[in-house]
Amino acid sequence: MKKIISKLFAICLILTLALGNAQIRETKAAGNGSIAISGTRLIKGESNFVTISVKNNTKAIGGIEVFVAFDTQSLSVNNVESSLDSSWELDYKAKSLAKYGRGVHCMIQNTSLSGMTNTDKNIFSIKLGTSNAKLKQSYKFKVYVIDVCDINGNSIKSSYSGDEKSYQCVDDSAKDIDLLGLQYSVKSDGVRIVAAVEPTINGKNVVEYGNVIGFVEEGITENDMYVGNPNSDSIRSFKSTSLGRSSYNFSDSDTATCYIMTIINNGTTIPALTQKYMVRAYAKLSDGTYVYSDVLTYSIYEIAGLLYNEYKMPNEAYHNYLYNNILSVVNKTYKVVKYDCWVGIIG
């Protein structure tokens, strides 16, 4: 693993990987930006990814240093892969620090000095092994922001907060009902949910499938996301029909059926666009039992930001629609991104 510390980045950052267990200081964010973590579930025995992203950025970032804390004894670090172009150089090391515990210390810097001005942008992904992880156990990931510098080498870390999320370890059978990702339908003006289901799960025929959708509000957790929950008016299940069956298979299974569901009439105000939702796919088996996918949490604003900044809309008009009707409604200073090319759905 090569170590890359430019003069610019060395001025900005508190320490380098060579400092080992030296004390690291982080500050609370004064602005609304964050270095966030995203993923879905951890599948036992397979390689999994969690992604680190910049959210609500208003600066020109030249370098970022973070410590991502998690149980590296149960979840091995197989690699850390940059999500940015070749003008960015990444350095990382798995280690244990007294202040944060076990995790991965990562630094990424821009060598062209042009910086990153995207409002939302994926930075890098940590590839994890789960051979030592325990099934049905949740593993916490916490991002500590050590430093962020602008293109002139000045520290701007006070504008960025960290993040914390947990993901459950599941077995391979959970992939038999899989939430593949989300899109935004301009024609329907709603969030499009893409899922896949196998014809048989655990040796039983699938007789029904669909999605469970809920509002994220106080007292609602992922454990509440099941079909027929009698205790919450904020959670509903929706059975898929033949109209939602996709002619294209988005999954990596030749035997799976892909189905698409679009949630419309979501509202156009800032509270509506930033409202958090949870969604998971479900399958009902021939013996009456239910099998569920992971739970994905989203808001329309977050989906639009990812689709916009990662060029995931099929044409420029739809790309600009996200900016004009969602992103700039919530954030008047949202950074304009010129349309490049279509690269698919988000997962």
Side-chain angles (χ1 to χ4, degrees):
M1 174 176 31
K2 67 178 182 178
K3 190 166 293 183
I4 308 159
I5 305 292
S6 70
K7 291 182 180 179
L8 169 64
F9 207 45
I11 291 172
C12 171
L13 298 178
I14 294 173
L15 80 167
T16 70
L17 297 181
L19 294 179
N21 291 330
Q23 184 180 8
I24 300 177
R25 296 177 288 115
E26 82 282 349
T27 61
K28 293 183 179 179
N32 296 321
S34 67
I35 310 298
I37 189 166
S38 62
T40 52
R41 59 174 174 247
L42 302 168
I43 300 174
K44 177 73 172 178
E46 293 193 4
S47 293
N48 299 262
F49 290 88
V50 292
T51 300
I52 307 301
S53 308
V54 172
K55 301 289 186 182
N56 299 319
N57 175 48
T58 60
K59 312 287 186 181
I61 298 175
I64 298 172
E65 181 181 12
V66 296
F67 190 88
V68 184
F70 60 95
D71 182 0
T72 55
Q73 290 185 320
S74 299
L75 304 170
S76 60
V77 180
N78 293 342
N79 197 12
V80 179
E81 301 174 1
S82 174
S83 303
L84 303 177
D85 62 35
S86 59
S87 68
W88 291 81
E89 295 181 328
L90 172 69
D91 194 14
Y92 74 92
K93 187 175 183 180
K95 59 170 62 176
S96 178
L97 296 177
K99 186 171 185 178
Y100 304 131
R102 296 184 178 89
V104 181
H105 182 194
C106 299
M107 295 185 291
I108 191 163
Q109 64 170 337
N110 183 250
T111 59
S112 67
L113 303 184
S114 59
M116 179 201 309
T117 58
N118 303 75
T119 304
D120 301 305
K121 187 70 175 178
N122 292 341
I123 309 169
F124 60 84
S125 294
I126 304 174
K127 186 177 181 181
L128 302 168
T130 55
S131 58
N132 295 325
K134 294 181 180 179
L135 286 173
K136 298 185 178 180
Q137 180 168 321
S138 291
Y139 291 92
K140 182 174 72 174
F141 295 80
K142 188 168 184 177
V143 179
Y144 294 93
V145 180
I146 299 170
D147 211 353
V148 181
C149 67
D150 63 19
I151 57 175
N152 296 314
N154 300 312
S155 179
I156 52 175
K157 66 181 179 181
S158 62
S159 298
Y160 302 88
S161 61
D163 192 19
E164 181 177 330
K165 287 187 175 68
S166 295
Y167 302 103
Q168 188 179 51
C169 182
V170 298
D171 60 23
D172 286 342
S173 65
K175 293 191 298 180
D176 292 341
I177 175 69
D178 199 3
L179 190 61
L180 299 178
L182 302 171
Q183 249 282 3
Y184 194 86
S185 171
V186 171
K187 289 183 178 180
S188 302
D189 198 15
V191 176
R192 191 158 49 201
I193 303 164
V194 184
V197 60
E198 294 289 346
T200 60
I201 299 177
N202 298 331
K204 301 177 181 64
N205 292 331
V206 173
V207 298
E208 177 185 316
Y209 51 86
N211 297 313
V212 182
I213 302 172
F215 289 98
V216 175
E217 57 186 29
E218 186 175 358
I220 301 297
T221 69
E222 293 187 2
N223 293 331
D224 298 309
M225 294 287 289
Y226 61 89
V227 176
N229 184 341
N231 301 317
S232 177
D233 294 330
S234 301
I235 297 172
R236 292 286 184 271
S237 58
F238 299 90
K239 176 183 175 181
S240 181
T241 68
S242 59
L243 294 176
R245 204 167 294 150
S246 173
S247 59
Y248 182 83
N249 188 355
F250 294 95
S251 77
D252 56 5
S253 169
D254 294 334
T255 57
T257 295
C258 285
Y259 60 98
I260 299 172
M261 191 174 293
T262 305
I263 310 302
I264 60 174
N265 298 325
N266 299 288
T268 58
T269 64
I270 292 177
L273 296 174
T274 56
Q275 167 67 50
K276 294 278 192 176
Y277 299 88
M278 288 187 290
V279 60
R280 78 188 316 177
Y282 79 84
K284 183 179 180 180
L285 308 185
S286 55
D287 64 351
T289 59
Y290 287 86
V291 179
Y292 297 93
S293 75
D294 60 296
V295 174
L296 183 63
T297 302
Y298 70 91
S299 72
I300 294 173
Y301 177 71
E302 289 174 337
I303 292 173
L306 287 171
L307 294 170
Y308 184 74
N309 285 283
E310 301 296 328
Y311 314 110
K312 292 181 182 291
M313 296 304 282
N315 58 54
E316 186 175 7
Y318 287 1
H319 176 82
N320 293 336
Y321 177 94
L322 296 180
Y323 181 85
N324 295 326
N325 294 275
I326 300 174
L327 300 175
S328 64
V329 172
V330 176
N331 180 0
K332 299 297 184 184
T333 62
Y334 204 96
K335 177 70 176 180
V336 174
V337 176
K338 186 178 179 180
Y339 185 71
D340 190 357
C341 61
W342 182 35
V343 293
I345 64 172
I346 57 173

